[in-house]
Amino acid sequence: MPQDTREDETILADPLPAEDGAHPDDRVDDERHDEENRLKPDFVRAVRDALERGDDGAAHDLVEPLHPADIADLLELLERDERRELAAAIADLVSSDVIAELNDYVRDDMMEALPPGAVAAIAEQLETDDAVQLIEDLEPAEQRAVLDALDAEDRAAIESALAYPEETAGRLMSRDFVAVPEHMTVGDLIDFLREEGNLANDFWEIFVVDHAHHPVGTCMLSWILRTPRSVALTDVMKRDQTLIPVTMDQEEVALMFQKYALISAAVVDASGRLVGQMTVDDVVHIISEEAGEDVLLLSGAGEGDINEPIRDAYTARVRWLIANLGTALVASFIIAMFGAAIEELVALAVLMPIVASIGGNAGTQTMAVTVRAIAINQLTRANTGRILWREMRVALLNGATVALVLGAATAAIFGPPLGAVIATAMVVNVAVAGLAGVLVPVMFERLRQDPAVASSVFVTMITDSIGFLAFLGLAVASGVAG
């Protein structure tokens, strides 16, 4: 390959000519993308107009220059009927790379519209983990038909993956990896990599295994290229490695990658045999998915996907609204207990929502911090007491600050006695909010339930109830009202 030497004596290889179908600047296209690299509304509208006219050729010409990820974005932006029309018009462009980038609901919808043979053809082009995602959500009969249309090797790999529980390493791992016996030298390995025609397309490290196919070490490609050929792999490999059991939950896998700064890791079965690998690109998707899932669960919004069917979205959200209605009745009952005092002093009705609202916000803040700490293993049984004491101190400082401001304003308008009552109630409620924001998620986690699922409902109930009880109770007990 020709080289170009600059003044700083850095040797640069001349760029290779673009192959057919390649797009050197496919992510930088001012005609189709805005400054944030999203498809422009005008471009999407032009594709829609071509579909409405029945001009499939024009639609194809518009879409052809796009990167597969952008084609996936375009399909997601269209309505269901438009999506299927476009897929038919650009059938040769809907590659495995496009399918791999699609939103789950959009992908499933498109797969339902294709015959089993077409789905199988796409699955055969995908990595095993992506093919599993493509097939796992199909109806059993459709899934069986697609599997039957695959060749024996691909079918065996996918059926093996589907045998593991969802969201585990066994379901998500890639079975395309490079493993070699430990008796090899560096030269033997280099020759093997050059001559073997059936290797994974992309890999960063070599797994070294013993006679029972148990991983005994790993070799980074950079080490191999910089080591003399005569050196034995056992002398250059890294023996200390992170092994992932096939049954490990995807969230724990992501935490291991984050903690140990991994690029890839071996996946082993119950007997310790190497059966696959997890790579950092898979983990990036897991981290994004888990983070979004926790945020949505905190709000009770279900999966929160804009492509989710309306019935599924309704079912996911309404049950938590009903639960919230039940917990709200507890606060209403407390207010009813002090009905006479509220009638006597209208200022109580004016001020009590403030106490509950501030307490609720304080509880939500603490709960969000706690759920995140649990999710990334910052909060464990070993430090729960320390974290609880920390959040209590933060809550007391916040409560005292807000109490001074609100107490002074209330005293100026309604008199010092009521100002003192609301300031005291505020400190009490914010302190309880801090306590509940830690204990409720921890309780769910100890019960082996997802702390993000229902924590907000119970924390809100506690802060509302305690806020009303503290404020109205102190007002009556102090003689300010009632």
Side-chain angles (χ1 to χ4, degrees):
M1 181 183 297
Q3 295 175 332
D4 180 21
T5 304
R6 304 291 188 242
E7 292 182 0
D8 60 1
E9 298 185 353
T10 300
I11 299 177
L12 304 175
D14 289 342
L16 290 170
E19 299 178 0
D20 291 342
H23 306 284
D25 297 321
D26 53 12
R27 296 297 293 171
V28 182
D29 189 342
D30 291 337
E31 294 181 2
R32 301 173 180 87
H33 298 85
D34 60 19
E35 62 278 2
E36 295 182 0
N37 206 31
R38 295 175 301 194
L39 294 175
K40 291 181 178 179
D42 289 345
F43 173 76
V44 178
R45 194 177 303 113
V47 174
R48 276 199 173 107
D49 291 342
L51 293 175
E52 288 178 3
R53 296 193 307 269
D55 191 346
D56 290 353
H60 188 283
D61 292 342
L62 286 168
V63 177
E64 185 176 17
L66 294 179
H67 186 278
D70 290 319
I71 296 177
D73 287 345
L74 176 61
L75 288 166
E76 291 174 10
L77 289 170
L78 299 177
E79 295 290 343
R80 184 178 185 182
D81 292 340
E82 296 173 329
R83 189 182 299 146
R84 294 188 175 190
E85 289 177 16
L86 179 61
I90 61 168
D92 59 318
L93 302 179
V94 184
S95 64
S96 58
D97 292 332
V98 173
I99 298 297
E101 295 288 341
L102 283 173
N103 167 276
D104 290 349
Y105 288 104
V106 175
R107 184 181 63 235
D108 293 345
D109 178 54
M110 292 188 62
M111 292 305 100
E112 289 175 4
L114 294 175
V119 177
I122 293 172
E124 287 177 342
Q125 300 176 48
L126 295 170
E127 299 288 344
T128 305
D129 52 337
D130 292 327
V132 169
Q133 288 185 344
L134 181 70
I135 295 173
E136 63 183 353
D137 292 327
L138 296 176
E139 294 296 326
E142 295 175 346
Q143 190 178 103
R144 188 71 259 165
V146 172
L147 290 171
D148 290 341
L150 293 169
D151 65 49
E153 184 178 351
D154 289 332
R155 180 170 62 252
I158 292 173
E159 286 179 337
S160 173
L162 291 172
Y164 294 107
E166 290 188 28
E167 299 187 350
T168 60
R171 180 69 73 93
L172 301 168
M173 69 184 179
S174 171
R175 287 159 177 76
D176 297 323
F177 58 89
V178 179
V180 296
E182 57 185 331
H183 60 72
M184 273 188 170
T185 65
V186 170
D188 294 334
L189 174 57
I190 292 174
D191 292 340
F192 168 76
L193 295 177
R194 287 175 175 170
E195 296 169 5
E196 176 61 38
N198 190 28
L199 290 178
N201 291 327
D202 300 303
F203 56 93
W204 297 270
E205 63 180 343
I206 312 297
F207 297 105
V208 183
V209 297
D210 63 14
H211 66 281
H213 211 65
H214 295 155
V216 295
T218 61
C219 289
M220 301 294 293
L221 288 178
S222 57
W223 304 349
I224 299 300
L225 294 174
R226 296 159 60 185
T227 303
R229 291 178 58 89
S230 60
V231 175
L233 287 183
T234 52
D235 293 334
V236 72
M237 72 182 185
K238 178 183 177 183
R239 296 182 182 273
D240 182 21
Q241 56 183 322
T242 302
L243 302 179
I244 298 175
V246 288
T247 55
M248 179 176 283
D249 183 84
Q250 66 174 18
E251 195 166 358
E252 295 178 43
V253 173
L255 290 173
M256 289 183 68
F257 268 73
Q258 181 181 5
K259 182 176 182 179
Y260 299 114
L262 302 176
I263 295 177
S264 63
V267 181
V268 295
D269 63 14
S271 63
R273 296 181 72 255
L274 177 64
V275 293
Q277 70 169 340
M278 293 291 296
T279 54
V280 70
D281 57 324
D282 299 317
V283 172
V284 168
H285 289 294
I286 292 171
I287 292 172
S288 174
E289 178 183 319
E290 291 287 346
E293 180 182 276
D294 284 347
V295 169
L296 291 163
L297 288 174
L298 278 172
S299 64
E303 295 190 25
D305 195 303
I306 59 173
N307 295 295
E308 183 180 16
I310 292 176
R311 177 178 293 181
D312 293 348
Y314 162 75
T315 303
R317 300 182 196 184
V318 74
R319 64 173 181 265
W320 292 113
L321 293 176
I322 297 298
N324 203 173
L325 176 62
T327 57
L329 292 175
V330 176
S332 299
F333 176 73
I334 292 173
I335 295 173
M337 291 170 54
F338 295 94
I342 295 173
E343 289 180 5
E344 181 179 328
L345 187 61
V346 177
L348 296 179
V350 174
L351 297 172
M352 64 183 186
I354 299 176
V355 179
S357 176
I358 298 297
N361 286 335
T364 299
Q365 290 175 344
T366 306
M367 178 185 61
V369 171
T370 303
V371 169
R372 177 182 180 275
I374 291 173
I376 62 175
N377 281 347
Q378 286 185 338
L379 196 162
T380 66
R381 290 177 182 268
N383 67 347
T384 299
R386 180 174 66 82
I387 299 300
L388 180 61
W389 174 230
R390 175 191 181 277
E391 291 301 323
M392 282 298 299
R393 284 181 291 171
V394 172
L396 287 170
L397 287 171
N398 286 337
T401 302
V402 176
L404 285 174
V405 175
L406 181 59
T410 302
I413 299 173
F414 298 105
L418 190 55
V421 165
I422 198 170
T424 306
M426 184 62 70
V427 173
V428 170
N429 198 27
V430 174
V432 170
L435 188 67
V438 175
L439 291 182
V440 170
V442 167
M443 177 190 70
F444 276 105
E445 195 267 339
R446 299 287 164 83
L447 294 173
R448 300 189 179 280
Q449 302 297 316
D450 192 332
V453 172
S455 294
S456 61
V457 173
F458 288 95
V459 170
T460 301
M461 178 195 72
I462 292 170
T463 54
D464 284 354
S465 302
I466 296 299
F468 293 140
L469 183 61
F471 181 50
L472 298 175
L474 286 171
V476 172
S478 65
V480 171

